[in-house]
Amino acid sequence: MELTQLSVVLFPLCAWYLFAPVRMLQLALIFSTFGAAAAAVIGGLGLPPGLPPAVLFLGFVALQYALGARFAGEAAVLRLLEPLIILVVYALLTSVVLPRAFAGKFEVWPQKVDGAFPFPITIGPTPSNYTQDLYLLSNACVAIFGALFITRSDVSPRALMHTYWAGAAIVAFVSVWQVASRLGGVFFPTAFFYSNPGWVIFEGQEFGSVLRTNGPFSEPASLAFYESGMIYSAAWVLLRGHVSRMAMLLLPVSIGTLSLSTSTTGYAVLGAGAAFLLVYALTVAPKAEAARILKYGVPFGVLLVVGVLAAASLDSSFAKSVDEVVTQTLSKSKASSYEDRTSLDADCIALLWPTAGLGAGYGSVRSSSLVPGLIANIGIPGIALVLWFAWRIFATVGRVRRMGGDGDDLLVVDATSGAIVGTLVAAVISAPTISNVDFYLVLALLVGSLARMEVAVRRLAPRPRAAVGWRAA
């Protein structure tokens, strides 16, 4: 095992907070922002920085269970996560059974493609099946045990939510630092931020003559992917009517950081969010919510566009940069990389026929975006389980909102709902999987907060009176 510069900071913190599970969750959220770094290098593979504190947290909760501890919201959490648990079991079974059942019958794009000779391989069991299984199993355990732990009365979901939001400040700082390094020669610790040998680092890219920023991630698209969840989270909290100064600061900072990436994915996520909010406000949104969207959301978007145009008119170099970004973004569909990704996704969807809709087995196929990847790996039954899980969460969110309850828990529900939707939108556009541990911690926050609200309402509900007289017989 080879230690990295980041491990010199991370491992002492993990040791210091070994018996402080809340701190472990916060460490996992904060260090997940260092997406291109490694906590350690084991056998040539980089250990994601958010994983060590997450694993230590799992060990703490597992030990509590072994000693007989139970959580008040246990039944509610397990009911909410039932589709996810079934999905994980199904995915693990497919990774073992299907590659062997279909061995040699067709070709697939492997998870790891040789850059020099990028060709498909004949279907069959590969090490990728097992490595993807380990990621899936560990992330599912983080979501399950995290949600159970968050139902404890002495845990503050809002504090954990603020920790997640604080990650956006770290990412923005590193991104601006990187820009200052490239433009002004300021020292930038590349070895600290980019120590994972499993990632190809796309540092120093340009969009025409415009610098592209990847911050603490491996490429600009990954930076935009991270910020998509942050932007949707902060925007949804504010439009839902919550009072949060942190969300008010987070929204412009995250939009600015995403803009530094000049990622087409990021712009598409912003456009999709704006279009959804406008349609939502004009159709099914409650009156108060629709009024906030039309009163604040629309003017904010207009001012953003006007501000860019005004800056372009005052600075010719800025105008040239904006023109290059717009031109490159609009012509992205004609680029060879776009055609390659589209072809990759089409090949994934085409696997429905030779596999009879079952998929090739979890971890067998590489895709360019989320939905074709799910179709190719776990097939129609897996997609049905994903939709069942999404519907159960969506229905529960609607129910607890009608119940009312604690404002902090409701803020966390809205914030995490927005973050998850933003991340999913980005993944549907350009991410084959969602394997970063912070996404599953945010999911745990959402499920744990929903369970807390359900338990609180149940405790306050009036109990039926016991029958008296001859009725009791």
Side-chain angles (χ1 to χ4, degrees):
M1 184 177 74
E2 177 186 349
L3 297 180
T4 64
Q5 292 183 15
L6 184 139
S7 66
V8 177
V9 178
L10 175 61
F11 288 162
L13 288 173
C14 287
W16 182 264
Y17 294 118
L18 186 60
F19 298 104
V22 173
R23 294 287 184 241
M24 284 296 177
L25 287 177
Q26 292 175 319
L27 287 177
L29 287 168
I30 290 296
F31 279 90
S32 291
T33 61
F34 302 103
V41 179
I42 304 173
L45 298 176
L47 189 67
L51 195 57
V55 170
L56 290 173
F57 166 78
L58 291 178
F60 182 91
V61 178
L63 180 60
Q64 282 192 317
Y65 257 93
L67 295 175
R70 293 297 180 266
F71 302 95
E74 183 174 324
V77 166
L78 295 179
R79 181 187 61 80
L80 284 169
L81 292 177
E82 177 188 9
L84 177 63
I85 295 170
I86 297 173
L87 173 63
V88 170
V89 173
Y90 174 76
L92 295 177
L93 288 175
T94 64
S95 71
V96 175
V97 175
L98 295 183
R100 291 168 173 79
F102 296 128
K105 294 185 178 180
F106 49 85
E107 291 185 333
V108 298
W109 289 99
Q111 291 286 341
K112 289 290 184 181
V113 179
D114 189 335
F117 302 98
F119 296 109
I121 63 172
T122 303
I123 183 66
T126 66
S128 294
N129 293 113
Y130 306 112
T131 56
Q132 294 301 311
D133 285 350
L134 288 175
Y135 277 122
L136 177 65
L137 192 58
S138 62
N139 286 329
C141 288
V142 166
I144 295 168
F145 285 102
L148 289 171
F149 179 79
I150 287 165
T151 61
R152 282 177 37 167
S153 59
D154 59 339
V155 175
S156 170
R158 183 162 185 167
L160 291 171
M161 190 67 238
H162 284 170
T163 303
Y164 170 67
W165 280 349
I170 295 174
V171 171
F173 176 77
V174 175
S175 300
V176 172
W177 189 2
Q178 185 185 42
V179 171
S181 174
R182 293 172 63 185
L183 294 178
V186 177
F187 168 73
F188 185 76
T190 301
F192 181 88
F193 293 116
Y194 309 131
S195 57
N196 194 327
W199 292 111
V200 177
I201 308 300
F202 293 92
E203 188 184 14
Q205 284 188 322
E206 293 185 357
F207 220 170
S209 62
V210 180
L211 296 177
R212 304 191 68 194
T213 304
N214 55 295
F217 299 93
S218 60
E219 59 177 332
S222 299
L223 172 60
F225 181 85
Y226 177 85
E227 293 296 351
S228 297
M230 289 291 178
I231 292 169
Y232 274 49
S233 177
W236 191 236
V237 164
L238 295 175
L239 293 174
R240 286 286 301 166
H242 297 285
V243 178
S244 173
R245 292 181 180 178
M246 195 168 184
M248 292 179 67
L249 292 172
L250 174 67
L251 185 58
V253 167
S254 296
I255 292 176
T257 307
L258 184 146
S259 300
L260 289 175
S261 74
T262 68
S263 168
T264 305
T265 297
Y267 298 146
V269 168
L270 288 178
F276 166 77
L277 287 178
L278 185 59
V279 172
Y280 175 67
L282 296 175
T283 54
V284 297
K287 289 183 178 180
E289 203 166 314
R292 280 191 294 270
I293 293 173
L294 297 175
K295 184 178 179 180
Y296 299 109
V298 174
F300 179 81
V302 172
L303 285 174
L304 187 63
V305 174
V306 171
V308 171
L309 294 177
S313 65
L314 295 173
D315 188 342
S316 58
S317 61
F318 181 77
K320 181 182 177 182
S321 299
V322 171
D323 180 66
E324 288 181 347
V325 170
V326 171
T327 301
Q328 293 282 349
T329 300
L330 294 178
S331 62
K332 201 71 178 284
S333 61
K334 300 177 183 178
S336 60
S337 60
Y338 177 84
E339 294 178 356
D340 292 341
R341 290 194 297 269
T342 303
S343 175
L344 194 66
D345 285 344
D347 291 342
C348 288
I349 295 173
L351 289 176
L352 280 175
W353 285 266
T355 64
L358 296 176
Y362 189 75
S364 297
V365 188
R366 174 175 170 263
S367 66
S368 175
S369 53
L370 184 63
V371 175
L374 291 175
I375 290 173
N377 285 285
I378 56 178
I380 294 175
I383 293 289
L385 289 170
V386 171
L387 294 176
W388 179 26
F389 181 45
W391 174 253
R392 176 159 291 185
I393 295 295
F394 176 79
T396 306
V397 169
R399 187 170 65 251
V400 299
R401 279 178 180 162
R402 291 190 296 270
M403 290 176 180
D406 185 82
D408 279 358
D409 283 341
L410 190 56
L411 182 146
V412 172
V413 166
D414 288 328
T416 51
S417 299
I420 289 170
V421 170
T423 304
L424 288 174
V425 171
V428 167
I429 295 172
S430 66
T433 58
I434 304 176
S435 58
N436 40 318
V437 71
D438 57 328
F439 175 82
Y440 295 89
L441 287 173
V442 171
L443 177 61
L445 262 174
L446 172 59
V447 173
S449 298
L450 291 172
R452 286 167 64 102
M453 295 182 74
E454 288 192 322
V455 170
V457 170
R458 196 180 305 125
R459 285 175 177 171
L460 294 174
R463 296 181 180 180
R465 294 181 180 181
V468 295
W470 62 272
R471 296 179 185 272

